[in-house]
Amino acid sequence: MKDHLIVFDTTLRDGEQSPGASMTKEEKVRIAKQLEKLRVDVIEAGFPAASQGDFDSVHAVASAVKESTICGLARAVENDIRKAGEAIKPANSGRIHTFIATSPIHMEKKLRMTPDEVVERAVWAVKRARDFTDDVEFSPEDAGRSDVDFLCRVIEAAINAGATTINIPDTVGYSMPHQFGSLFKELIERIPNSDKAIFSAHCHNDLGLAVANSLSAVRNGARQVECTLNGLGERAGNTALEEMVMAIKTRQDVFDVDTRINTKEILAASRLVSNITGFAVQPNKAIVGANAFAHESGIHQDGVLKHRETYEIMRAEDVGWSTNKMVMGKHSGRNAFKTRLEELGMVFETEQELNDVFVRFKELADRKHEIYDEDLQSLITDNSNQRVENEIYRLIALKVSTETGEASKAEVTLWVEGKELYAMAEGGGVVDATFKAIESLVKSGASLELYSVSNVTNGTDSLGETSVRLEKGGRIANGQGSDTDIVLSSAKAYINALNKICGNSVKKHPQASV
Ligand code: KIV
Ligand code: ZN
């Protein structure tokens, strides 16, 4: 019997700390529900003390998700712990994750606290968190650069105070795999009460070693790993969930642990996060990149056809890649549509939700004759047609024209807080003209940081998924749009981002000094 490796997903917290990856409450709930489908054990839903929006998001996730434990992050201070405790209240199973830095550089320069004060505060924080829940995780931040004797001291005290999980963060991604593994071995061997807590690895990818370090920790006693989808996270990101899970599954010969992850949901989860944040997945990204299972060279193709395992160590279907077969068309009925979605793991809570998607499917089928699984997935994950909270702008109509040797033109009609407004603009191309026309009505002053379009399937009638990132006064918002017409898809994404940037609030960063 293998040990259970707890998968702790922090896409909604550490992932969201990635500049430009901030998400709305609705987006966080959608990702959390997909994480639940993935059978992630713990979802770190945010840092409730960061802002009212973060608090509401954690609370909403705790209310919506039933199967996974919902965790809120808190610095070792009263306000953070109380807010985290209140935010996770609706959860069936709730956890508080409290942390304080333990490396000499962080204690001296950031916290301006002595090691004795840090131990005292850690003990206080764990005890205070236990007033809200029995499930308390403690992290000595920057453990990778902390003194091992001091780590032993603070961790022993935290466990005595009631911490049930001890997370060892390599906060700056400095560790080497052999060192990080030895650190776990030494901590577990030396700390007298180490058997009273689960040890967890939390790695950053600054040297590209987050997954390797996490795997080394597991080989040396870690029984929880903290990861994010697509490796999203600050700077170079965190341990990629999909790589970690598939390494453990594929190499059961070297690991004495297994996860409960439903790997068939990995690709859908990866796409959802990429779509919502606007962070594209590189084609050669392991597991979820477009080329991860593509065999380009003749020798490889020949080998795979003769015997799949000559070049494939995993089955593409096991992580959710389909065979791209045509599934539906405009004559497909509601039942066939529902059945196919269920086969793809997409289940709706209400009839209304299913009806809305079916209407969008019919509209798509009128414009695109062959509907593939990827189209269905895009249709479900596209949120540009959904009202965002406090919606200010909505596209009513768009007309564009382009002619060789002439400037492109766009005519836009927008719904702006109850009024219909019209504008016309010229630009270097139809998308440029459309954005200029919209901006002339909205006057947001936001600058365009990113614009990207990718086709969901092959062919010129493919759905185009567009991501737009806007920046205004240091705030960033991502918008998404999807349509077979890439100009419409672009306009939807731009308006989606404008609605968000106009409602964004300022957040605290958890790792800033208290
Ligand atoms: O990287 C880090 O140290 C963290 C802590 C808050 C656990 O994210
Ligand atoms: Zn981190």
Side-chain angles (χ1 to χ4, degrees), residues 13-14 73 97 99 139 141-142 167 169-171 202 204 226 511:
R13 197 280 296 173
D14 222 347
L73 182 73
H97 174 191
F99 72 98
S139 290
E141 189 195 357
D142 204 15
N167 180 45
D170 183 24
T171 304
H202 176 112
H204 281 267
E226 303 203 347
Q511 281 152 293

Side-chain angles (χ1 to χ4, degrees), residues 326-342:
M326 203 256 298
V327 287
M328 323 222 103
K330 74 190 228 181
H331 300 298
S332 306
R334 193 173 170 287
N335 264 346
F337 175 71
K338 186 174 172 215
T339 307
R340 185 62 199 149
L341 289 186
E342 279 167 6

Side-chain angles (χ1 to χ4, degrees), residues 172-199:
V172 290
Y174 182 70
S175 299
M176 291 290 126
H178 69 285
Q179 286 175 328
F180 203 57
S182 306
L183 177 62
F184 273 76
K185 191 166 187 292
E186 187 172 352
L187 293 175
I188 292 170
E189 276 173 6
R190 280 183 54 188
I191 297 171
N193 53 3
S194 64
D195 59 322
K196 306 270 180 318
I198 303 272
F199 277 67

Side-chain angles (χ1 to χ4, degrees), residues 59 88 95 100 121 123 161 176 203 216 228 251 315 332 352 360 388 401 427 469-470:
H59 195 269
I88 60 163
R95 173 181 296 188
I100 190 161
R121 183 74 75 82
V123 167
M176 291 290 126
C203 298
S216 179
T228 59
R251 297 305 307 271
R315 284 152 39 103
S332 306
Q352 188 54 48
R360 279 163 41 209
V388 298
S401 62
R469 184 173 306 147
L470 297 177

